[in-house]
Amino acid sequence: GDSVTQMEGPVTLSEEAFLTINCTYTATGYPSLFWYVQYPGEGLQLLLKATKADDKGSNKGFEATYRKETTSFHLEKGSVQVSDSAVYFCALSEVYAGGTSYGKLTFGQGTILTVHP
Amino acid sequence: DTGVSQNPRHKITKRGQNVTFRCDPISEHNRLYWYRQTLGQGPEFLTYFQNEAQLEKSRLLSDRFSAERPKGSFSTLEIQRTEQGDSAMYLCASSQGTGTLYGYTFGSGTRLTVV
């Protein structure tokens, strides 16, 4: 079955540090890949996505590139801020040959990011 | 449009009681999903609807769980004879189509505590 594995956390950084959160996946079809963020007390918010190999998703200074050869979708940001402190989830949605997708998301376990001033 | 709304935000119940949660999706979204999230884990898929039809159910959804989406609008998730293992955050999400193009919008969740 489909699965997503994220690097173990928590991750603690100083402001303006470089961030990488690793994500690898296993899927039988051609998944779309997502990063969601969950701020304290709030719901999951879509951060960025990529729907095919070599696509780069980007938003709010965060980037992730869909690497089919390494089945990875690592999240990066060049300079983190205190306001980036949150839980980050990597997820996939399976898309099968012919474009059929059931739409359900398979999530990783989440990575807690804490950024100190 | 205020996004996906879930009620209640918190529910504490005694073991063995029945509980019902409600989700109001974004009005133009035809798909609605339920997920369960336990502490320190990512959300796990429970079930989804396309309009009023329930198209898939996870093996996590035991026979004590039932979900409905009458008229393809709001949805309810009922848990009968609650157990302590049911304690979790229950998340609802909606999308127009499969969500792979435009993403999914999540509600803030209902936190269930079974004592």
Side-chain angles (χ1 to χ4, degrees):
Chain A
D2 299 342
S3 66
V4 176
T5 302
Q6 291 182 231
M7 66 182 289
E8 293 186 10
V11 174
T12 302
L13 296 173
S14 297
E15 205 165 26
E16 299 183 2
F18 183 84
L19 168 70
T20 299
I21 301 177
N22 290 338
C23 170
T24 57
Y25 66 90
T26 302
T28 54
Y30 307 93
S32 293
L33 302 174
F34 304 83
W35 277 100
Y36 278 84
V37 59
Q38 189 171 34
Y39 298 103
E42 298 185 15
L44 288 163
Q45 300 176 24
L46 178 64
L47 182 59
L48 53 85
K49 65 180 177 69
T51 57
K52 61 183 187 296
D54 300 325
D55 270 2
K56 177 185 283 187
S58 61
N59 186 27
K60 299 181 181 179
F62 291 90
E63 293 183 339
T65 300
Y66 189 142
R67 300 288 188 200
K68 187 177 180 182
E69 63 277 13
T70 55
T71 62
S72 65
F73 193 55
H74 305 321
L75 182 68
E76 296 182 337
K77 187 175 185 181
S79 176
V80 293
Q81 305 300 312
V82 172
S83 58
D84 293 328
S85 298
V87 184
Y88 292 81
F89 293 94
C90 185
L92 70 81
S93 178
E94 190 77 274
V95 179
Y96 299 97
T100 301
S101 170
Y102 300 119
K104 67 181 182 183
L105 290 166
T106 300
F107 287 88
Q109 74 272 31
T111 301
I112 300 172
L113 171 65
T114 303
V115 180
H116 293 298
Chain B
D1 189 356
T2 56
V4 177
S5 176
Q6 291 189 247
N7 288 288
R9 290 295 302 272
H10 304 275
K11 178 71 176 179
I12 300 174
T13 190
K14 292 183 178 180
R15 188 175 53 185
Q17 297 294 305
N18 299 342
V19 294
T20 300
F21 311 139
R22 177 179 170 124
C23 171
D24 287 272
I26 292 174
S27 56
E28 61 266 28
H29 284 182
N30 62 346
R31 287 203 176 193
L32 186 148
Y33 304 81
W34 285 99
Y35 290 84
R36 181 172 68 187
Q37 185 179 18
T38 53
L39 199 62
Q41 299 297 317
E44 296 174 294
F45 169 78
L46 292 178
T47 187
Y48 90 94
F49 293 83
Q50 180 160 306
N51 300 312
E52 67 275 10
Q54 188 174 17
L55 296 185
E56 188 176 353
K57 293 194 292 186
S58 162
R59 285 170 289 182
L60 293 174
L61 214 64
S62 75
D63 55 7
R64 296 185 296 106
F65 288 70
S66 62
E68 294 182 340
R69 192 184 182 197
K71 302 179 182 177
S73 56
F74 71 92
S75 177
T76 58
L77 178 68
E78 181 183 16
I79 309 174
Q80 296 182 326
R81 305 181 303 280
T82 52
E83 302 172 356
Q84 287 190 322
D86 298 330
S87 296
M89 177 75 85
Y90 290 84
L91 298 171
C92 176
S94 69
S95 67
Q96 180 55 36
T98 61
T100 53
L101 287 178
Y102 305 112
Y104 309 77
T105 303
F106 280 83
S108 297
T110 294
R111 181 168 296 282
L112 173 67
T113 302
V114 182
V115 298

